[in-house]
Amino acid sequence: MSFHCHIGWLFAVVIVVAQAGLAQEPLPDATESSPVDADAALKQMGYRPPSELVRETLADPPGSTRLSKKSSLWLDKANQRVFVDGFVSLRDAPLEMFACPLETKEHESIVATLAKSSEVHAALLAAGAMPGTTVSYRPKYVPATGQRIRVWVMYRDKEGKFHAVDARTWVQRTGTDKSLELDWVFAGSTYWKDPEDGKNYYQADNGELICVSNFSTAMMDLPVESSDSNGNLQYNAFTDRIPETLTPVRLMIVPIPIPGDQPSDPKKPIAKPDQVPDETLLPLKK
């Protein structure tokens, strides 16, 4: 059964389960003394989390080093670029993020990634990107700063045809037919110390990986004012351009060289953020 056929079947299963719940009818063999484990029940019916489907579909990008055993994140240091896998989580709604880590803010992000924001931050540092500062509002509004970053999305459609698109083309300016034109900047988020356990937490791990609304916790943000108020969100998902929900995707994240910069080693390649990724960067598992 193909990935997309499996997903269609999965939605049908979820609808049946939801209807059973609305009718307040217990699943078979459910008793008060033996409550049904929802996750176990779905697993018995063949459900697998989207993260598993992505990992089973996409093979590692060639020429890159995997940075985590648990996360789907790679560094191509020679070409100064980062790869992170995920899936389409939303394709028709107002946006606060373009991408968020898995199980955080999928309800307002087009892509859910199988890596934390802090991990992608570390990968960008290893690729040579320079973080800046997050947005601030007091005493006056100051936009996020940092090195500009280009994001590409790679995926295969139902027929298996390869696609590579600039991530900005999936973000629509509210009330227009125009897509996002600005590049994101590497703001770098911030850390918060929990007074109870004394530990420092990277705040963008809560969801703010690649933002289209300004957040003081953003790992990557837009360098202009963009409201995060529900009634004033400035961007929507560009529905007609986005493949169906749960489609596996691979993001290629490339720092844009700062004008005038010269590598210390003349033989060292400079990142090429405008170069469209080719099909070899999205191999499938056999």
Side-chain angles (χ1 to χ4, degrees):
M1 182 179 292
S2 70
F3 177 84
H4 293 286
C5 287
H6 179 87
I7 293 305
W9 175 85
L10 172 58
F11 279 133
V13 169
V14 171
I15 290 171
V16 170
V17 172
Q19 290 174 339
L22 290 172
Q24 297 183 341
E25 295 179 0
L27 292 172
D29 301 324
T31 65
E32 292 186 3
S33 60
S34 178
V36 172
D37 184 320
D39 291 338
L42 287 173
K43 189 173 183 180
Q44 288 178 356
M45 290 187 285
Y47 169 77
R48 288 178 297 160
S51 56
E52 286 187 13
L53 296 173
V54 172
R55 292 188 177 103
E56 292 173 4
T57 301
L58 304 180
D60 293 7
S64 300
T65 302
R66 192 180 189 100
L67 299 181
S68 169
K69 291 182 179 180
K70 294 183 178 180
S71 301
S72 297
L73 178 69
W74 298 265
L75 170 66
D76 179 356
K77 191 170 180 62
N79 293 295
Q80 298 171 276
R81 57 193 182 185
V82 172
F83 298 98
V84 59
D85 286 355
F87 58 90
V88 174
S89 55
L90 174 153
R91 57 187 304 273
D92 187 12
L95 300 175
E96 291 192 356
M97 270 71 65
F98 170 79
C100 69
L102 180 67
E103 297 181 354
T104 58
K105 296 187 176 180
E106 285 92 329
H107 62 290
E108 49 201 7
S109 305
I110 296 175
V111 172
T113 64
L114 309 190
K116 295 180 180 179
S117 299
S118 54
E119 294 174 320
V120 180
H121 179 132
L124 281 170
L125 291 178
M130 295 191 301
T133 57
T134 59
V135 65
S136 61
Y137 294 94
R138 297 177 182 176
K140 63 178 182 179
Y141 175 82
V142 179
T145 67
Q147 188 163 359
R148 291 189 302 139
I149 306 291
R150 186 66 46 80
V151 182
W152 293 90
V153 188
M154 293 175 278
Y155 69 97
R156 295 180 187 273
D157 60 25
K158 293 180 180 179
E159 288 71 41
K161 183 180 178 181
F162 172 78
H163 298 267
V165 299
D166 187 324
R168 296 174 298 176
T169 65
W170 283 9
V171 179
Q172 183 179 27
R173 183 84 182 187
T174 302
T176 75
D177 59 357
K178 296 181 179 180
S179 57
L180 177 64
E181 296 180 350
L182 291 167
D183 283 304
W184 284 282
V185 295
F186 183 18
S189 192
T190 53
Y191 282 90
W192 174 74
K193 186 173 183 177
D194 189 329
E196 293 188 2
D197 62 19
K199 295 181 180 179
N200 289 318
Y201 292 91
Y202 187 79
Q203 295 202 78
D205 281 341
N206 290 324
E208 299 82 15
L209 174 57
I210 303 177
C211 301
V212 296
S213 291
N214 296 151
F215 287 94
S216 60
T217 53
M219 196 282 283
M220 286 170 53
D221 204 347
L222 294 177
V224 295
E225 190 166 7
S226 181
S227 173
D228 65 348
S229 172
N230 285 339
N232 296 302
L233 295 179
Q234 297 180 25
Y235 297 99
N236 297 323
F238 217 132
T239 306
D240 294 343
R241 300 180 179 181
I242 303 171
E244 65 183 69
T245 307
L246 301 184
T247 298
V249 300
R250 173 164 292 160
L251 304 184
M252 185 176 82
I253 307 174
V254 191
I256 298 175
I258 297 173
D261 272 5
Q262 295 295 328
S264 56
D265 180 358
K267 296 181 180 179
K268 183 179 179 180
I270 299 176
K272 298 178 180 179
D274 293 321
Q275 184 174 336
V276 181
D278 61 58
E279 188 170 2
T280 63
L281 296 176
L282 193 69
L284 301 177
K285 287 188 176 179
K286 298 180 179 178

